[in-house]
Every structure is written in C-alpha cells, then in structure tokens.
Amino acid sequence: MIKRKIEEFDEHSPLSHFYEFGTSPGDIKELIIESFSPYFSNKKNLEIYATSDLVNNWLSYVTVYKDSPDSLECIQYILDIFNDAKKVNFNQTIEAYLHWFPDISHSMSRFWSLVNHQPALKDLCLEDFLEISMDTIGKTIEGLSKNFILLLLHLNRIKRNKDCGINEIRTKDLGNAVDELINTSNLKELFIIPPNKTRLNQWRNIAYHHNAKIVNNEMIFSYKQNKNYINFQLSREELFNIVKKIVLTFRLIRIAEMIFCFDNLNSIQKGLRNIGSSTINIRKEAKLIDFYSSIGSQGFKVTDIEIDEGQSTLKIIDMQLYSDYTKRGAHASQFLYSLWLYSSSKNLVIEYHTFSGEKFLTSEISSVSFERWFAPGFVDI
C-alpha cells in the first residue's frame, strides 16, 4: 500500500523534473520562500518550514499558478479575512481557528477518500461523466469546502465585530453562509461559478438533490430559487470546467489556511495541546505525502520504505551528482526524525545511496532519543 502510494506520488510530483533541469535543493527552498514571502508575516517560520511542512502547499500553489494564474489573487483576499480578524482580536481569532481545526482535519480525510476513488472524467461516457461529475461537486462542496467556509464566516464576523455565536454559525445554512461572505468580503469570485453565475451552494443542492439529467444527449440542470426553478443546459466541456472551478475554490482556501497556520504556528500548537489528538483525524496518506515531499524537496528520492512497529527502514537515493557525498549523507540522516514522526517505530534506519545507486551511509537511531522531547498532548500538523 505504502509503496504503491509512493509510486503514484512519483508519477505526479513535479519535483523530479526540477532536478532534471538542473534546479538544486537550495533553489527549491528559495522558490518556496519567494512564492510565500508576500503572505507571511513570520519570515522565520517560513524559513524553518519551507522544505518540510510547506512543500505540498507550495506544489498546490504551483499547480494553481500553472492552471489558473489569475485566481492566485484570491489567496490574499482569503488571508485578509484571517489577518484582519487577528488585528481586531488575536486571541479570539486563534480560538476560532482551533475550534474548527478538528473539522478541517476530517475534511482533509474525506479529500483523500475522494482522490483515492476518482476516475478520469474525460474517459467516461456521457451518462457516467454526468454522474461522477455531480458526485465530485457534491462531495467537494459539502465534504471538503463547507467547514473551511464556516471558518471564514466565523473569522469574517470577528473582523467586522459582529456576533460570533458558534452554535448559530455551525447550524447556518450553507447558502446563507455563502451569501454573507459574498456580501461582506472580496470572495465573490470564489463562490459564484461561471458560465451562468450559479452560486457554490446551488451547485451543492443540484448535486445532492440529483437535479441533473440527460435529455436528447444534452445535460440539463435545475435548482430552486425564490420558489421558482431555474433550468439551464451545459456542454460537457462547460461542466468539466465547473468541476475544476469548484475544486480550485477548495484548493485556494486550503492554501491560504495552511499559510495562516504556519505563520501563527507557535500560538496554534499551544492551543492544540489543550485540544489533544483524539478529535483530530490526519490520514496516513497525508502524513506520507508530507514525508515524501519534504525528502523530495531536498534533492532525494524514496526508493523503498518498510514500516513496522519494531523497526522502519527508509532507502533514499540522491537525485543529483556531487563531488563529495559526505555532507549529503549527513543531511539524509536528518530524516530519521521525520521517519519516526511518520511511523512511530521503536527503531529507525535510513540507507542513503549516491546518484549512481551505491550505498554510501546507513544511519540508525532508537525512538527513545525523540520521545523524551515531546510534551503530553503534542499534535503534529
């Protein structure tokens, strides 16, 4: 299972292509810092976490830059809500974020379920294309984006010095939440979906009430508004672009939320110790891709990994030639800590191989060396 996932990451990750064109690990770090620097107040945290916890967020950012560069401005609009709320009431903003953090973690768990079972839409017949597209739309909005939207609503009310009753926000209809954010923030572009300007919540309703059908080989959609039904028709390409737009909305909010998290990590980590890990669900796939990408961003490739409670072994190979591999071997040894965070094994082993495939160094350590440093209630994010 783990090896198969790593093969999938290898197939889709652009990191190896950077190295093939001569980009160094130092260049990757500079690119991450350069991309995220406009959004970070805490430049020290950006420097510390650039090639560990922020790699996947940056790869997501790069994907948006490639596919929809104009939409990147929405990241700042989203962060304005986070940061303006923090200016009004710092403690209340951090408390609001911590309140929604477990819900967000469960949303990300559902994200992996969606990814693991997502077929290639373009390869499907029209009937299956419509069915899977609507399923993806419904799950992305309700299962992934909704908790992030309610968090934004909460923070936007703090920013505006409005009532922030958590029970009222939790039970708020998604349509009312979207309407409030459209009317009181710069997020209109996120929540109104072209080509016919249908709001995000209406697409959720269309999907969940199965108000999509095929008539004479044409896709027809409908939703209720002010007691009347709105009907419209879309081409296959238009629906495909709508699916991409709805996934993009989720991706942009997630990028901004992760930036806020690591910009304010010290305060958030303190609060998470009080919450504990029992209400938080971080999928193994999420931990694995963070682990894998951190290694990849530093110029190494995972060639094999064996996870066991007693001992875990990681084999990595250098992705570039070096005249002296001693420093690279020492660098590779630093992943023992990351391997422990991922595996929780009692003994950790890393085999480092040079670019030619020759085994250069084996590093080994007991988990006891790490366990003594962690306070009870520590939550790794």
Side-chain angles (χ1 to χ4, degrees):
M1 171 66 175
I2 295 176
K3 292 179 182 178
R4 181 169 61 82
K5 281 293 177 187
I6 287 177
E7 289 173 359
E8 291 176 5
F9 297 157
D10 278 335
E11 184 180 346
H12 295 101
S13 174
L15 285 172
S16 60
H17 299 298
F18 281 106
Y19 297 117
E20 288 173 7
F21 287 98
T23 306
S24 71
D27 293 333
I28 294 290
K29 184 172 184 177
E30 287 182 12
L31 285 169
I32 295 173
I33 291 174
E34 181 182 343
S35 298
F36 285 159
S37 185
Y39 307 118
F40 267 80
S41 298
N42 191 332
K43 306 297 185 185
K44 182 178 179 181
N45 276 9
L46 176 56
E47 175 82 19
I48 292 171
Y49 298 107
T51 52
S52 55
D53 301 84
L54 290 171
V55 179
N56 284 316
N57 208 39
W58 178 69
L59 291 175
S60 187
Y61 177 91
V62 170
T63 299
V64 174
Y65 179 81
K66 176 174 69 72
D67 296 339
S68 183
D70 291 343
S71 67
L72 286 174
E73 65 180 5
C74 292
I75 295 174
Q76 189 59 61
Y77 297 153
I78 298 164
L79 280 170
D80 284 345
I81 293 178
F82 280 93
N83 294 326
D84 289 348
K86 194 171 69 169
K87 291 174 185 175
V88 171
N89 192 321
F90 178 86
N91 290 334
Q92 193 177 5
T93 299
I94 298 299
E95 287 171 7
Y97 181 78
L98 291 169
H99 176 87
W100 291 100
F101 189 88
D103 298 276
I104 287 172
S105 75
H106 288 282
S107 291
M108 294 311 300
S109 177
R110 288 188 286 270
F111 166 78
W112 282 104
S113 296
L114 188 60
V115 168
N116 290 339
H117 299 93
Q118 182 67 42
L121 287 175
K122 288 189 174 181
D123 297 335
L124 301 175
C125 67
L126 184 62
E127 290 79 6
D128 289 346
F129 172 78
L130 176 61
E131 184 69 23
I132 300 301
S133 294
M134 298 313 297
D135 185 64
T136 301
I137 286 171
K139 288 178 177 176
T140 301
I141 298 171
E142 182 71 21
L144 306 186
S145 298
K146 183 177 179 179
N147 286 323
F148 288 89
I149 291 170
L150 294 177
L151 167 62
L152 287 175
L153 179 68
H154 193 161
L155 297 176
N156 195 44
R157 288 189 177 181
I158 294 173
K159 168 187 170 180
R160 295 160 50 230
N161 283 308
K162 299 296 182 180
D163 178 58
C164 299
I166 192 63
N167 290 332
E168 187 267 334
I169 293 174
R170 274 200 171 277
T171 57
K172 197 170 187 66
D173 179 77
L174 180 62
N176 292 333
V178 167
D179 287 347
E180 185 174 327
L181 284 168
I182 288 174
N183 293 330
T184 60
S185 72
N186 291 323
L187 302 185
K188 181 177 180 179
E189 183 183 335
L190 281 180
F191 299 136
I192 298 179
I193 311 298
N196 56 344
K197 298 183 179 180
T198 303
R199 296 193 176 200
L200 194 72
N201 55 290
Q202 294 293 10
W203 271 113
R204 190 278 308 270
N205 293 339
I206 293 170
Y208 271 46
H209 294 298
H210 303 282
N211 289 334
K213 58 187 177 182
I214 296 173
V215 178
N216 297 325
N217 214 36
E218 301 289 348
M219 293 184 293
I220 309 296
F221 306 84
S222 64
Y223 63 90
K224 195 173 184 179
Q225 186 176 46
N226 299 325
K227 298 183 179 180
N228 296 315
Y229 275 94
I230 308 296
N231 299 289
F232 58 97
Q233 180 179 315
L234 293 172
S235 68
R236 183 170 178 141
E237 182 179 2
E238 286 172 331
L239 180 57
F240 183 70
N241 288 334
I242 285 167
V243 173
K244 291 200 300 182
K245 173 64 176 177
I246 288 170
V247 171
L248 174 64
T249 291
F250 164 72
R251 189 189 294 270
L252 290 166
I253 298 173
R254 174 61 171 169
I255 291 171
E257 176 265 325
M258 282 289 288
I259 290 171
F260 175 82
C261 179
F262 281 91
D263 203 21
N264 299 275
L265 190 60
N266 295 340
S267 299
I268 290 169
Q269 276 282 20
K270 289 176 185 176
L272 286 175
R273 290 191 180 99
N274 296 327
I275 294 174
S277 59
S278 60
T279 61
I280 297 170
N281 182 32
I282 300 178
R283 286 275 287 260
K284 274 287 186 180
E285 292 99 325
K287 291 183 178 180
L288 180 60
I289 195 171
D290 282 341
F291 177 49
Y292 164 90
S293 298
S294 175
I295 291 170
S297 72
Q298 295 170 64
F300 304 93
K301 180 179 180 180
V302 176
T303 58
D304 197 11
I305 184 169
E306 296 287 345
I307 302 296
D308 184 78
E309 182 181 349
Q311 177 171 297
S312 288
T313 302
L314 173 69
K315 296 180 181 180
I316 57 177
I317 189 170
D318 222 310
M319 296 175 73
Q320 291 183 322
L321 282 166
Y322 290 89
S323 59
D324 182 1
Y325 286 101
T326 304
K327 288 184 179 179
R328 294 293 288 171
H331 189 153
S333 300
Q334 297 175 20
F335 298 128
L336 286 165
Y337 169 68
S338 301
L339 181 59
W340 173 68
L341 280 180
Y342 174 71
S343 68
S344 301
S345 299
K346 292 182 172 62
N347 200 58
L348 299 313
V349 178
I350 288 182
E351 291 184 10
Y352 165 65
H353 298 249
T354 65
F355 181 76
S356 65
E358 177 187 358
K359 185 196 290 188
F360 185 86
L361 180 68
T362 298
S363 307
E364 185 171 350
I365 198 168
S366 167
S367 64
V368 175
S369 301
F370 301 126
E371 289 165 355
R372 68 177 65 137
W373 296 104
F374 286 87
F378 172 80
V379 179
D380 174 39
I381 58 174

